[in-house]
Each structure stands twice: as structure tokens, then as C-alpha cells.
Amino acid sequence: MSLTTRRLENVGVEVLDFDINEPLTDAIKADLNSLWNEHAILLFRGQDIDPHKQIEFSRTFGPLEKHPLAVNRSGEFPELFVLENGGPNDKFQTAFYDGNEIVGRLDWHMDLHYTGRPNRGALLRAVHVAEDDGETGFGDLAIAYDALDQGTKDKIASIEVAYQFNMQRRNMRFVDVKNYEPGPHSPKKPSDMGFPDFADSIYPAVVTHPISGRKVLEIVEQFLDRVIEPERAGLSNEESDALLQSLVEHIRKPEFHYFHKWRQGDMVLWDNWRAMHCTKGTRPGVKRLINRTTIEGDTTLGRQLPAR
Ligand SMILES: [Fe+2]
């Protein structure tokens, strides 16, 4: 097996000529890891795969970890995190956007960002796909950083930003809440979803990727709250909010995004130290099942403030 790639729209690549059922030699493992470090987002199509294979394949990229949201873990395979639409959890994930009822929509985020120690990456495998529904978006924040003008790069070089874990989308300062209404069962506090109450996490606005050394714009809209001590960078509170707003508008530019339309047999692997992701959600009743494996983060990229 020798791997070739094809560019996806804007960011990431599709890996061609790959078959998960052929032996994974050390040479192929090394190739896969270097493609991952180079492109951050890898798509594999047409894979005939089961949970054992998914877990084994994911270990190519590092040790696996279990998600803190224990309720979504698979009983048989603790390394699998089950993302399901069209099942009993729908009511907790249902909200209204422009008057439409949508299940499981999530804003741009990085997984476990609220802990200060995001996981290294994750792999999603389509088990049951919803046709024309349930797209997952991926965004490359190293390319987004490179595209900033020099003045902005200088301005953000030494600032830190705080993320405030919150279950209520309406309380997140930088997501677009226009025409948004929570659903009757939307969680109100972390314990409603089995989460602990995470303290704020702090990151430099620009994080150097521990492996590739590339600069990553550490700005995602979910949980983004404020600049820490903006006066140190010569900014008032209002100016620092305006700066964050302009950075959020920057990361929302389609040129940094790839939106994946799921087909049976698809796998997407992303570098959670560099790429953000989001989900568009599904219409009520639409069935969709994705299995996720999570690659452990062995480096703390941010830090957590003491508990509130
Ligand atoms: Fe996520």
C-alpha cells in the first residue's frame, strides 16, 4: 500500500489507496502520522471497519483516552464514544435556530479545550449516516493564523484568552445567539449532563503546535469569554472584546473550513491541537450514528484557573 492524497475543499486531504483491512506496517504508520501532522484533517472513504478495527487503527496515532462524559461511552468498548441522533438523548440536544428545531448542533470548538489539556486528536467513523443531514465542519487554525495580517499577529502575540465552560449556549459571549432558543430539555448546568463544573481555562491566543512547531490561532467561539489582563497589552476591556470579536469573524471564514457530508464507510481524523470542528445537527427524528475514538493529549497547552 502506498498512500496518495487529494486536497479537500480549502483545508485537509483525502487519503487515497488506503484499505484498513490490509496490514498496517511501520512504514504506513509513519506515512499516516506525517500526513496527519502536515494536513491536520484526513478523510478516508469506503472503509469496511468494525469497532475493534477502529480502536486498533486509532492507536496508530497515540494512546487512546476515554471521554469525561461517561453516559455516551459504549459499554462494550470503553474507548468508543457514541454520537447518536434519532435516539433517546435527542431531547437534551434539541434547540431552535431561526424557528427550526435542530438536534445536536454545536458551535466551533476544540474537544476538552475547557480542561486546559485538549486531546491530541480524534477519529470519527460513520456507522449510520443521515442523507443530506448532519454535516461535520472542520477548520484549520494554523492556516487561519498564517492568514492574519502582521499587525494582528503582533497584537495577539502576548495575550492570553479565557474560556468559560457553560452548558447554556445563550450565555456564551461569542457564539451567534441571534434567533436562537434553547429547547425545553436543554441542559442548564454541567451536572445535568454528568459533567463536573470545570473552572475557566486559559490559553495563549497563539499556541505553538508541540509536534509541527506551527503557530495555531487558539480562538474558537464556544466558551470564549475574555482576554486576561488586557491592560498588559495596552487594551481596554471594550477593545479586547472587539479584538476577540474580529478574531471570531476571522475563524468563521469559509476559506479555513471543510464541511464533511457523511457516507457509509467514511472516517475522518483530525488534529485537535490545530483544527476546530462543529456540527450542523440534524432535523428531529433523523437517525445518525457516529463512533468516535479519542487520541490522548500528553501535553498541557493551556492552564486552568482555580475553581470558581
Ligand atoms: Fe467535539
Side-chain angles (χ1 to χ4, degrees):
M1 198 159 45
S2 84
L3 305 176
T4 53
T5 58
R6 170 163 65 201
R7 282 190 55 147
L8 298 170
E9 67 196 47
N10 308 318
V11 294
V13 294
E14 179 179 353
V15 181
L16 304 168
D17 310 312
F18 177 79
D19 180 351
I20 197 152
N21 286 310
E22 282 190 36
L24 274 175
T25 62
D26 287 348
I28 289 168
K29 286 181 183 177
D31 281 356
L32 287 166
N33 271 287
S34 65
L35 286 175
W36 192 36
N37 288 321
E38 189 181 343
H39 300 290
I41 301 152
L42 302 184
L43 165 65
F44 305 82
R45 286 202 193 268
Q47 300 300 313
D48 174 20
I49 184 172
D50 61 25
H52 288 287
K53 275 274 167 198
Q54 179 174 355
I55 291 166
E56 188 196 325
F57 176 71
S58 301
R59 289 200 171 110
T60 304
F61 305 95
L64 304 188
E65 79 178 17
K66 297 164 190 169
H67 197 274
L69 197 55
V71 286
N72 284 25
R73 261 186 235 150
S74 154
E76 195 183 350
F77 301 101
E79 296 89 349
L80 281 190
F81 182 74
V82 180
L83 303 160
E84 186 183 32
N85 295 30
N89 286 328
D90 274 15
K91 63 178 183 179
F92 305 112
Q93 307 180 52
T94 300
F96 298 89
Y97 298 81
D98 298 315
N100 300 313
E101 199 174 3
I102 296 183
V103 182
R105 177 173 291 187
L106 286 173
D107 301 291
W108 289 114
H109 67 282
M110 293 162 119
D111 286 336
L112 298 183
H113 206 234
Y114 45 84
T115 64
R117 195 180 170 95
N119 47 283
R120 169 75 172 96
L123 182 139
L124 299 179
R125 172 173 72 98
V127 181
H128 186 99
V129 295
E131 227 158 276
D132 300 326
D133 216 335
E135 282 178 32
T136 308
F138 299 90
D140 190 328
L141 293 172
I143 292 177
Y145 174 82
D146 292 346
L148 290 170
D149 61 73
Q150 194 56 46
T152 307
K153 286 178 180 170
D154 293 343
K155 201 188 280 184
I156 65 175
S158 59
I159 68 168
E160 288 187 314
V161 291
Y163 287 84
Q164 188 179 89
F165 187 73
N166 201 311
M167 296 309 288
Q168 296 195 52
R169 188 174 183 274
R170 239 190 327 218
N171 295 343
M172 296 177 202
R173 296 192 64 209
F174 292 94
V175 303
D176 182 4
V177 289
K178 210 170 108 224
N179 301 326
Y180 166 77
E181 278 299 322
H185 301 282
S186 290
K188 293 197 167 51
K189 50 188 192 308
S191 59
D192 292 347
M193 294 299 285
F195 271 116
D197 202 357
F198 292 101
D200 292 1
S201 62
I202 314 291
Y203 290 84
V206 184
V207 167
T208 300
H209 193 286
I211 293 170
S212 67
R214 286 191 67 166
K215 287 187 172 173
V216 175
L217 180 60
E218 200 71 19
I219 297 290
V220 287
E221 58 193 13
Q222 188 189 56
F223 306 142
L224 181 63
D225 193 61
R226 64 195 182 277
V227 172
I228 295 286
E229 297 176 30
E231 63 281 2
R232 279 193 324 192
L235 298 171
S236 67
N237 285 339
E238 292 72 26
E239 286 165 339
S240 68
D241 279 351
L243 174 63
L244 291 184
Q245 188 59 45
S246 73
L247 293 172
V248 166
E249 278 156 26
H250 181 73
I251 63 143
R252 284 182 183 149
K253 290 176 186 164
E255 66 210 69
F256 309 129
H257 303 164
Y258 167 67
F259 276 85
H260 186 61
K261 293 184 178 72
W262 291 97
R263 288 191 224 148
Q264 214 78 38
D266 286 353
M267 300 193 298
V268 178
L269 170 76
W270 78 95
D271 179 346
N272 191 56
W273 285 350
R274 167 169 157 187
M276 59 179 181
H277 60 287
C278 70
T279 55
K280 285 191 174 180
T282 52
R283 286 161 289 154
V286 168
K287 196 121 185 85
R288 173 183 184 265
L289 191 69
I290 304 271
N291 276 351
R292 190 181 85 195
T293 33
T294 305
I295 297 133
E296 206 171 77
D298 60 357
T299 307
T300 303
L301 301 182
R303 61 190 163 88
Q304 244 176 343
L305 287 185
R308 271 174 278 164

